[in-house]
Amino acid sequence: MTSNEFPQFPENIPTHPLLIIDFDLLKRGDEAEIDRLWEASTKLGFWYLKNHGVDDEVTGMFDMGAKTMSLPIEEKMKFEQGNEGMSFGYKSAGANAVDASGKKDAVEFINVAKDDALAWPGQVHRSYPPSVNDRMESTVTPFIRKSVEVNNLLLGVLNAKLGLPAGTLLEKHRIEEPSGSESRVTRTPPVRSTSIDPAIGSHTDFGSLSFLHNRLGGLQVLVPGIDTWQYVKRLTIAPQPIKGHAICNVGDALSIFSGGILPPPGYQSFMERWSLVYFTRPGNSIILRPLVDESRLIADAVARSPTMNLNTGATSSEWFTRRIKNQRLENRKTLTPSLKGPETWMASRGTEEVEDTGVKDEADRPSQRR
């Protein structure tokens, strides 16, 4: 199966509906649509977005991803991310843990830094496979520019609803400042059933907003108040997705800035799946903390939840690097044969709830949502 083919979605599995937000209406300042975005972002943290205008670039990005994944593994590994906390480049299947026990993930993906794409043919962070370079100017850079525009408008709308001074969130995501913002094309291989381990472990996104384009609904969300994982079913007419629909979600950084008003949803991935996402993340120098001095709404939210310590004391770069680095199986610590490094998995966590692994020493992990 190629990245632009659309298999039949499985029947008789639990699914969860998402609100559909119209990007055109948001651009026009439609108050009813703004309120619907606020509802989606505060209640679940996930929503569909239609009329975003990035369809042509999405198709090209999936083609680039398929070409990259078809390269010999020896060629792809020349551009592997490594174990020092860099996310940009190629990640092979089995390089990351999906849980505290150290089970291997099953996905491979290619990440392209926003900074590298916008500096092309210059280089800020690293080099990429020829399959990426060949499409950098025609596809990758246009996709990233349009994705930045989409997510920046969403940030502006949420900025106003949070009662922040105009431009506060955009200032923390200045396009000129180096950041962890990046595009990603992911291939999840086919599996025999939905009862096996996830291909990507349960997690929240590391940044502020994610702009996702899915091929087959292998994405699961953990809905507040419900203890079971539910699939996000792609919107279809016959076997084809409705043109113009993406999935957006809140990440760690935006949840922290908002004092927990905007929840970062937990999710994981099962089944065969191709996906494309653009992650908007704060500038590397930005401290991740609730913006209590800038918004009464945020200050009140923090005051109502004294046990939720979101003052991380970390910059965006430090938060991002810690999470990436401690997922890597090569970096797992082994205190005893029975533990097999669960404390390293714990150190990779963000604002999601962390399962009890029996590990008592969490001194290396910044303050997080409990």
Side-chain angles (χ1 to χ4, degrees):
M1 182 181 302
T2 65
S3 59
N4 279 304
E5 293 176 349
F6 310 106
Q8 185 66 37
F9 190 88
E11 300 296 334
N12 302 318
I13 59 175
T15 61
H16 189 80
L18 303 181
L19 284 178
I20 302 173
I21 307 301
D22 190 326
F23 188 71
D24 275 345
L25 292 179
L26 293 180
K27 287 195 294 184
R28 296 177 207 163
D30 184 278
E31 290 299 329
E33 200 68 5
I34 289 171
D35 287 343
R36 295 181 73 251
L37 174 61
W38 183 246
E39 177 185 357
S41 60
T42 54
K43 289 187 176 179
L44 180 59
F46 266 110
W47 60 92
Y48 284 115
L49 190 70
K50 69 177 183 178
N51 296 325
H52 51 71
V54 194
D55 298 297
D56 290 343
E57 290 78 12
V58 166
T59 298
M61 288 292 289
F62 275 117
D63 289 341
M64 178 277 291
K67 183 70 179 249
T68 301
M69 301 311 169
S70 69
L71 293 172
I73 186 63
E74 296 82 7
E75 179 67 16
K76 290 185 285 190
M77 291 302 290
K78 295 176 183 177
F79 304 93
E80 224 279 336
Q81 296 172 338
N83 298 316
E84 298 306 312
M86 175 183 281
S87 179
F88 316 129
Y90 172 73
K91 190 205 75 69
S92 59
N96 289 354
V98 302
D99 60 21
S101 73
K103 292 176 183 175
K104 294 180 179 181
D105 73 332
V107 305
E108 60 174 341
F109 51 70
I110 181 68
N111 294 351
V112 181
K114 172 263 295 179
D115 304 320
D116 287 325
L118 299 186
W120 180 261
Q123 181 178 308
V124 177
H125 298 289
R126 65 161 308 140
S127 60
Y128 298 92
S131 54
V132 176
N133 296 337
D134 290 346
R135 287 181 174 265
M136 190 73 81
E137 188 172 3
S138 64
T139 300
V140 180
T141 298
F143 170 76
I144 286 179
R145 285 194 182 278
K146 286 191 175 183
S147 298
V148 169
E149 292 173 4
V150 169
N151 280 358
N152 279 358
L153 187 138
L154 296 175
L155 286 174
V157 172
L158 295 174
N159 188 99
K161 295 296 285 186
L162 287 167
L164 290 164
T168 298
L169 290 178
L170 290 180
E171 180 62 23
K172 297 187 180 302
H173 300 83
R174 291 187 305 111
I175 199 168
E176 301 84 6
E177 179 174 2
S179 72
S181 296
E182 62 187 351
S183 68
R184 172 180 297 173
V185 180
T186 300
R187 176 183 176 269
T188 304
V191 296
R192 294 182 181 275
S193 74
T194 60
S195 62
I196 65 168
D197 297 326
I200 301 176
S202 170
H203 66 286
T204 56
D205 277 342
F206 304 169
S208 294
L209 283 175
S210 302
F211 181 44
L212 172 70
H213 311 267
N214 217 17
R215 298 293 185 260
L216 181 62
L219 189 70
Q220 289 186 323
V221 295
L222 190 60
V223 180
I226 299 177
D227 294 332
T228 57
W229 290 91
Q230 296 178 316
Y231 283 95
V232 173
K233 186 175 182 179
R234 76 169 189 271
L235 298 172
T236 59
I237 296 178
Q240 298 297 323
I242 295 177
K243 185 177 181 179
H245 285 71
I247 298 174
C248 298
N249 67 268
V250 172
D252 281 350
L254 188 54
S255 181
I256 291 168
F257 291 147
S258 73
I261 293 173
L262 305 176
Y267 66 92
Q268 59 188 9
S269 176
F270 283 80
M271 305 194 302
E272 182 178 11
R273 174 173 173 249
W274 282 88
S275 66
L276 163 67
V277 63
Y278 180 74
F279 298 107
T280 289
R281 294 169 176 139
N284 284 343
S285 68
I286 301 300
I287 300 293
L288 299 187
R289 62 171 183 84
L291 302 179
V292 294
D293 296 329
E294 294 90 337
S295 164
R296 175 58 65 87
L297 185 67
I298 294 174
D300 289 346
V302 171
R304 288 194 301 270
S305 302
T307 61
M308 184 188 297
N309 183 8
L310 294 176
N311 284 295
T312 69
T315 65
S316 175
S317 177
E318 291 166 343
W319 181 272
F320 182 47
T321 300
R322 171 184 62 81
R323 295 203 64 183
I324 293 291
K325 188 173 184 177
N326 286 292
Q327 286 185 5
R328 300 283 293 192
L329 284 168
E330 288 292 324
N331 291 332
R332 285 177 66 83
K333 304 171 186 175
T334 304
L335 299 180
T336 68
S338 62
L339 284 177
K340 297 184 180 179
E343 73 287 347
T344 309
W345 168 258
M346 294 286 284
S348 76
R349 301 293 80 196
T351 58
E352 63 268 78
E353 294 288 337
V354 180
E355 69 269 32
D356 182 8
T357 63
V359 178
K360 304 302 182 183
D361 183 9
E362 295 179 312
D364 291 338
R365 186 159 58 98
S367 300
Q368 297 171 18
R369 190 175 188 176
R370 302 289 180 172

